[in-house]
PDB file of all heavy atoms in Angstrom:
ATOM      1  N   ALA A1364      -6.807   4.909  10.940  1.00  0.00           N
ATOM      2  CA  ALA A1364      -6.875   6.159  11.672  1.00  0.00           C
ATOM      3  C   ALA A1364      -7.144   7.328  10.734  1.00  0.00           C
ATOM      4  O   ALA A1364      -7.934   8.218  11.051  1.00  0.00           O
ATOM      5  CB  ALA A1364      -5.575   6.380  12.431  1.00  0.00           C
ATOM      6  N   ASP A1365      -6.477   7.309   9.563  1.00  0.00           N
ATOM      7  CA  ASP A1365      -6.712   8.399   8.609  1.00  0.00           C
ATOM      8  C   ASP A1365      -8.137   8.416   8.073  1.00  0.00           C
ATOM      9  O   ASP A1365      -8.705   9.468   7.788  1.00  0.00           O
ATOM     10  CB  ASP A1365      -5.725   8.279   7.429  1.00  0.00           C
ATOM     11  CG  ASP A1365      -4.297   8.626   7.840  1.00  0.00           C
ATOM     12  OD1 ASP A1365      -4.124   9.260   8.905  1.00  0.00           O
ATOM     13  OD2 ASP A1365      -3.363   8.285   7.098  1.00  0.00           O
ATOM     14  N   LEU A1366      -8.725   7.228   7.947  1.00  0.00           N
ATOM     15  CA  LEU A1366     -10.100   7.098   7.462  1.00  0.00           C
ATOM     16  C   LEU A1366     -11.129   7.399   8.576  1.00  0.00           C
ATOM     17  O   LEU A1366     -12.278   7.711   8.293  1.00  0.00           O
ATOM     18  CB  LEU A1366     -10.370   5.683   6.949  1.00  0.00           C
ATOM     19  CG  LEU A1366      -9.750   5.322   5.583  1.00  0.00           C
ATOM     20  CD1 LEU A1366      -9.771   3.819   5.393  1.00  0.00           C
ATOM     21  CD2 LEU A1366     -10.491   6.017   4.451  1.00  0.00           C
ATOM     22  N   GLY A1367     -10.682   7.287   9.841  1.00  0.00           N
ATOM     23  CA  GLY A1367     -11.619   7.323  10.936  1.00  0.00           C
ATOM     24  C   GLY A1367     -12.408   6.064  11.076  1.00  0.00           C
ATOM     25  O   GLY A1367     -13.550   6.044  11.549  1.00  0.00           O
ATOM     26  N   PHE A1368     -11.821   4.917  10.631  1.00  0.00           N
ATOM     27  CA  PHE A1368     -12.494   3.635  10.654  1.00  0.00           C
ATOM     28  C   PHE A1368     -12.038   2.806  11.841  1.00  0.00           C
ATOM     29  O   PHE A1368     -10.949   3.012  12.391  1.00  0.00           O
ATOM     30  CB  PHE A1368     -12.173   2.838   9.358  1.00  0.00           C
ATOM     31  CG  PHE A1368     -13.058   3.179   8.194  1.00  0.00           C
ATOM     32  CD1 PHE A1368     -13.727   4.377   8.103  1.00  0.00           C
ATOM     33  CD2 PHE A1368     -13.205   2.260   7.148  1.00  0.00           C
ATOM     34  CE1 PHE A1368     -14.539   4.679   7.004  1.00  0.00           C
ATOM     35  CE2 PHE A1368     -14.013   2.540   6.063  1.00  0.00           C
ATOM     36  CZ  PHE A1368     -14.654   3.756   5.983  1.00  0.00           C
ATOM     37  N   ASN A1369     -12.868   1.820  12.197  1.00  0.00           N
ATOM     38  CA  ASN A1369     -12.478   0.776  13.140  1.00  0.00           C
ATOM     39  C   ASN A1369     -11.553  -0.195  12.432  1.00  0.00           C
ATOM     40  O   ASN A1369     -11.606  -0.367  11.192  1.00  0.00           O
ATOM     41  CB  ASN A1369     -13.692   0.039  13.666  1.00  0.00           C
ATOM     42  CG  ASN A1369     -14.600   0.949  14.487  1.00  0.00           C
ATOM     43  OD1 ASN A1369     -14.286   1.254  15.630  1.00  0.00           O
ATOM     44  ND2 ASN A1369     -15.683   1.382  13.888  1.00  0.00           N
ATOM     45  N   TYR A1370     -10.710  -0.886  13.201  1.00  0.00           N
ATOM     46  CA  TYR A1370      -9.654  -1.736  12.640  1.00  0.00           C
ATOM     47  C   TYR A1370      -9.604  -3.060  13.352  1.00  0.00           C
ATOM     48  O   TYR A1370      -9.733  -3.121  14.579  1.00  0.00           O
ATOM     49  CB  TYR A1370      -8.323  -1.022  12.767  1.00  0.00           C
ATOM     50  CG  TYR A1370      -7.110  -1.807  12.315  1.00  0.00           C
ATOM     51  CD1 TYR A1370      -6.735  -1.786  10.976  1.00  0.00           C
ATOM     52  CD2 TYR A1370      -6.352  -2.558  13.209  1.00  0.00           C
ATOM     53  CE1 TYR A1370      -5.626  -2.492  10.549  1.00  0.00           C
ATOM     54  CE2 TYR A1370      -5.240  -3.262  12.778  1.00  0.00           C
ATOM     55  CZ  TYR A1370      -4.897  -3.246  11.450  1.00  0.00           C
ATOM     56  OH  TYR A1370      -3.804  -3.942  11.027  1.00  0.00           O
ATOM     57  N   HIS A1371      -9.433  -4.137  12.603  1.00  0.00           N
ATOM     58  CA  HIS A1371      -9.277  -5.463  13.198  1.00  0.00           C
ATOM     59  C   HIS A1371      -8.181  -6.249  12.465  1.00  0.00           C
ATOM     60  O   HIS A1371      -8.232  -6.398  11.231  1.00  0.00           O
ATOM     61  CB  HIS A1371     -10.588  -6.224  13.115  1.00  0.00           C
ATOM     62  CG  HIS A1371     -10.513  -7.625  13.664  1.00  0.00           C
ATOM     63  ND1 HIS A1371     -10.270  -7.879  15.003  1.00  0.00           N
ATOM     64  CD2 HIS A1371     -10.613  -8.831  13.080  1.00  0.00           C
ATOM     65  CE1 HIS A1371     -10.243  -9.180  15.196  1.00  0.00           C
ATOM     66  NE2 HIS A1371     -10.443  -9.791  14.039  1.00  0.00           N
ATOM     67  N   GLN A1372      -7.209  -6.735  13.220  1.00  0.00           N
ATOM     68  CA  GLN A1372      -6.150  -7.583  12.682  1.00  0.00           C
ATOM     69  C   GLN A1372      -6.589  -9.032  12.776  1.00  0.00           C
ATOM     70  O   GLN A1372      -6.899  -9.549  13.865  1.00  0.00           O
ATOM     71  CB  GLN A1372      -4.855  -7.380  13.475  1.00  0.00           C
ATOM     72  CG  GLN A1372      -3.723  -8.310  13.088  1.00  0.00           C
ATOM     73  CD  GLN A1372      -3.198  -8.080  11.680  1.00  0.00           C
ATOM     74  OE1 GLN A1372      -2.952  -6.931  11.286  1.00  0.00           O
ATOM     75  NE2 GLN A1372      -3.065  -9.145  10.887  1.00  0.00           N
ATOM     76  N   GLN A1373      -6.617  -9.718  11.644  1.00  0.00           N
ATOM     77  CA  GLN A1373      -7.017 -11.131  11.616  1.00  0.00           C
ATOM     78  C   GLN A1373      -5.810 -12.041  11.822  1.00  0.00           C
ATOM     79  O   GLN A1373      -4.652 -11.611  11.691  1.00  0.00           O
ATOM     80  CB  GLN A1373      -7.637 -11.471  10.270  1.00  0.00           C
ATOM     81  CG  GLN A1373      -8.889 -10.700   9.912  1.00  0.00           C
ATOM     82  CD  GLN A1373      -9.313 -11.000   8.514  1.00  0.00           C
ATOM     83  OE1 GLN A1373      -9.111 -10.202   7.626  1.00  0.00           O
ATOM     84  NE2 GLN A1373      -9.883 -12.189   8.302  1.00  0.00           N
ATOM     85  N   SER A1374      -6.111 -13.329  12.083  1.00  0.00           N
ATOM     86  CA  SER A1374      -5.043 -14.328  12.027  1.00  0.00           C
ATOM     87  C   SER A1374      -4.552 -14.451  10.605  1.00  0.00           C
ATOM     88  O   SER A1374      -5.296 -14.322   9.658  1.00  0.00           O
ATOM     89  CB  SER A1374      -5.585 -15.689  12.508  1.00  0.00           C
ATOM     90  OG  SER A1374      -6.003 -15.627  13.839  1.00  0.00           O
ATOM     91  N   GLY A1375      -3.269 -14.698  10.448  1.00  0.00           N
ATOM     92  CA  GLY A1375      -2.734 -14.870   9.107  1.00  0.00           C
ATOM     93  C   GLY A1375      -1.729 -13.810   8.726  1.00  0.00           C
ATOM     94  O   GLY A1375      -1.096 -13.875   7.690  1.00  0.00           O
ATOM     95  N   GLY A1376      -1.593 -12.750   9.553  1.00  0.00           N
ATOM     96  CA  GLY A1376      -0.515 -11.799   9.353  1.00  0.00           C
ATOM     97  C   GLY A1376      -0.840 -10.600   8.514  1.00  0.00           C
ATOM     98  O   GLY A1376      -0.818  -9.465   8.994  1.00  0.00           O
TER      99      GLY A1376
END
Side-chain angles (χ1 to χ4, degrees):
D1365 288 345
L1366 287 164
F1368 275 23
N1369 295 283
Y1370 176 85
H1371 178 65
Q1372 174 67 48
Q1373 299 173 256
S1374 297

